[in-house]
Amino acid sequence: MSDIPQNTNATPGWLRRNKLALAPWLFLIPALVFFAIYVVLPIFESLWLSLYEWNGLYDAQGNSTATWVGFQNYVKLWDDPNFWTSLRNNLAWLILYMLAVPAGLFIALFLNQTVTGMRFYKSMFFFPFVISQVVVGLIFGWFYNPDFGVVGSVWKWAFCEETVNILGNATFKCSRPVPDILSSPEWATYGIIAAGLWPQIAYCMILYLTGLNNVAADQIEAARLDGARGWRMLWYVVLPQLRPATFIAIVVTVIGALRSFDMIAIMTQGGPFGSTNVLAHYMYEVAISEYGERYGYGSAVASVLFAIMLIYISYFLWRMYQDEKDSR
Amino acid sequence: MFPRPIEKSSPSAKFAYQAFLPFALLLWLLPLLAIFLTSIRSAKDINSGNVFGWPSEFKLLENYTAVFTQSEAAQYMLNSVLITVPTVAISVALACLAGYALAIYRFRVAVPLFFLFVAGNFIPFQILMVPVRDMSVQTGLYDTIAGQFLFHAAFQTGFCTLFMRNFIKALPFDLVESARIEGVAEWKIFWYVILPLVRPAIAALAVLIFTFVWNDFFWANVLTQGEGAKPITAGVRALNGQFVNNWHLVSAASLLAALPPVAMFFLMQRHFIAGLTLGAVK
C-alpha cells in the first residue's frame, strides 16, 4: 500500500531517476541503427541467402524470385576447382603477406635514428601505404609489363640485342624471352603479392617505429651494460617490449591478406585462367559477372570467407576482452 | 634507444649511413619514381622503350591536361570528394556519440556492444555485398553518390567508435563525475566537457577515414555502374581501358588519383600516424 503514493509521484521523476540508464541509449541509437542496417543485418541476410539460388530479380508483384536449395551451394563449392584455387591462393597470400611484419621491423630498425632529415625519410618510406591499392596495382602492372615496363627494359638490357630497321623501329632478339609475369599462371599470384607487400611493409614499419619510440631506454642501457648487443638484444630485450606493435601488425596483415581484392581486380581480374583468384575476388566474379548474377552461390563463397575471418576476429576479441578485464 | 644511435659510432659509419639513406629511399620508391617519369614522357619515348633514360621531351602539362580533356577524370574526382566528405562527417559524428556512451556509462551490454562495433570493422566486405547492393537497388540508392556515402559512413562508424571509445576511456573520469555532482545535464557534459577534449581524435579519424574512403575500389564497383557516381579509383580503371597502352596517360591519371590522400597525409602527418598506430603502444 505504501507503494502507491510513491508511484504517482514517480511519473515525472522516473526519467530523472533513470537518467543514467537511459542516456547511453540516446547517445548510441543513431550509430547503432545505422550500423545494424548496413553491417549487422546484411551478414545474416548473406548467410541466409547462401541457402538459396537467386539471380537478383523480383517478379511483377515485387517478390524475390529466389528458390530454396538448402546446402546445395556448398556442395557445388566442394566440387568447384575455382573455389579450391582461390582458397589455395588465399593461403599463399596469408603466408607470404606475413613477410611484411619482419620486413617492416627491419626497415623500422634501419630508420630509427636521429640524424638530420630523418622525419622526411620516415614519411617517404611510409608513402606507399597512403596510395590507393588501385594505383599500386596499376604501377606494378606497368612495372611488370614486358614491352613497356621496368622488368621488360631491364631484361632487354641484360639478355637482348636491339636492332633498328630503316624506319627507326626497334626489334629485339633475346637469348631468353622476356618474362610476362602477370600472364603466367604459375607466377602471376606471386607478382601480385609482391606488389601488395610494398604498402603493407610500409604500414608495419610505421607501427614498429612508433613502438620503438616507446621502448624503455633504461632497460636497453641496463642490457647493454650486461653485454647484450645485436640480435640477442633485439630478441630478448627489444622484441618483448614491441609485443603490442607486433600484435597489431599481424592483425592488420592477416586482415589485409584476406581482403585482397583491389590489386587482383586491377592487375589480372583473377586470370590467367582463374589462377590468381582469391575468395574475395571469386565471390565478386560469380555474384556479379557478365554471365548473369548468382547471388546465392556468391553468398556461399562469401560465407566461407567470413567463417575464416571469424576465427581471427574471435581471437582478436578474446585478446581485447582479456585486456578489458585487466584494466578494470 | 635501439639500435645504438649512429652519432655514437665512428664518423665514417655515420657518413656511410647518411650516404646510404637516399640510395635506400630511391630503391624503395623506384616504382613510384618510374611511373612519375613515365607520366611526363611523350608517347614516342614509351614506344621506343625509353623507361629509365632522360625523357626526350617533357610533357608534364600536356599529359596531365590530356587526362582531363580526353576523359571524365574531373567528374570522377568531384564524385570522390562528394562521397568522401559526407562519409567523414557522418561517421565521426556518430562515433563521438557512441564512443561517449560506451566509455562513460557502465551498463550491462556496453562491452558486448563495443565488441560488435570492433568485429564489424574486420569482416570481409563480400559478406555484405549482395544484401547492400540489393537494398540500394530497392531504395533507389544504387548508382548514386548518397548510396555510397551512406554505406561508407555506416561501415566506418565501427572503426571510429572503436577509436573514440578508447580515446574517451583514457580521459580522466573525474571530469564527468564532478560535472554530474554540479548537476550538469548529460548532453551538456558531452558537449562542453568531452567534445573539446577529443579534438585530436576527431582530427586523426578525419584524415584516416578520408584516406580509406577515397581509396575504396570495391564498393565503387558494387554500388555504381555509370559515369555519374563513379569515384576516381573506379574511374582510373575505366581510363585504363580507354587509354590502352598509352602508359603516359594511365600513369598521369593514376598519380592524380593518388594525390589527395597523399596531400592529406603530408599536411596532417602527426594525426594520421597517431590514428594508425593506435594500439601499437601501451
Side-chain angles (χ1 to χ4, degrees), chain A residues 19-20 23-25 27-28 30-32 34-35 37-40 42-43 45-47 49 54 56 58 107 109-116 118-121 123-132 134-135 138-143 145 148-150 153-154 198 201-203 206-207 210-212 214 217 220-221 224 230 233-234 238 244-245 248 251 255 259 261-262 265-266 269 280 283-284 287-288 293 295 299 302-303 305-306 309 313 316-317 320-321 323-324 328, chain B residues 1-7 14 17-18 20-22 24-25 28-32 34-35 38 46-47 49 51-52 90 94 97-98 100-102 105 107 109 111 113-135 138 141 147 150-151 153-155 157-158 162 165-166 169 180 184 186-187 190 211 215 217-218 221-222 233 236-237 240 245 247 250 254 257-258 261-262 265-266 269 272-273 276-282:
Chain A
K19 184 174 77 169
L20 288 186
W25 293 103
F27 283 111
L28 266 171
L32 217 49
F34 217 27
F35 201 67
I37 293 176
Y38 269 116
V39 181
V40 181
I43 295 176
E45 275 176 69
S46 273
L47 295 174
L49 256 176
W54 188 30
Y58 290 84
I107 297 182
L109 288 172
F110 172 63
L111 291 179
N112 193 33
Q113 296 289 350
T114 45
V115 300
T116 36
M118 216 53 225
R119 259 181 69 98
F120 167 77
Y121 281 109
S123 34
M124 288 312 269
F125 267 87
F126 180 62
F127 198 8
F129 179 73
V130 189
I131 306 170
S132 110
V134 172
V135 175
L138 280 172
I139 292 178
F140 274 85
W142 164 81
F143 198 83
N145 188 301
F148 309 102
V150 175
S153 38
V154 169
W198 191 47
I201 290 172
Y203 193 178
I206 207 79
L207 289 170
T210 317
L212 281 170
N214 290 277
I220 304 277
E221 288 315 313
R224 226 167 240 156
M233 172 82 106
L234 179 66
V238 179
I248 300 285
V251 168
I255 306 276
R259 272 204 184 150
F261 171 88
D262 298 7
I266 289 289
Q269 296 179 22
M283 183 274 163
Y284 176 83
I288 13 182
E293 284 158 350
Y295 280 179
S299 297
S303 303
L305 182 61
F306 178 68
M309 205 80 117
I313 297 176
F316 183 81
L317 288 182
M320 252 182 124
Y321 182 65
D323 287 354
E324 286 288 312
R328 261 153 213 261
Chain B
M1 211 178 143
F2 184 84
R4 185 185 288 273
I6 202 88
E7 280 96 354
K14 191 180 173 191
Y17 178 74
Q18 275 180 318
F20 183 63
L21 265 179
L25 180 64
W28 180 242
L29 293 182
L30 183 70
L32 206 60
I35 199 123
T38 305
I46 285 160
N47 290 329
V51 176
F52 281 122
I90 298 173
L94 291 181
L97 293 167
Y100 176 75
L102 294 174
Y105 299 95
F107 54 117
V109 289
V111 172
L113 276 181
F114 175 54
F115 281 10
L116 178 75
F117 283 113
V118 177
N121 185 31
F122 289 144
I123 55 167
F125 295 144
Q126 283 71 21
I127 194 81
L128 308 179
M129 185 187 111
V130 169
V132 168
R133 185 177 149 106
D134 182 48
M135 181 164 61
Q138 295 299 305
L141 287 169
L150 285 175
F151 171 77
F155 189 81
T157 296
L162 157 70
R165 185 265 190 189
N166 285 347
K169 193 105 189 162
R180 274 187 192 152
V184 183
E186 293 296 309
W187 69 269
F190 168 72
T211 310
N215 288 343
F217 178 67
F218 181 72
N221 280 306
V222 172
T233 43
V236 160
R237 194 208 352 220
N240 192 21
N245 280 345
W247 282 101
V250 175
S254 310
V262 168
F265 165 65
F266 279 104
Q269 214 182 110
F272 194 97
I273 289 174
L276 265 188
T277 53
L278 164 97
V281 285
K282 282 268 156 73

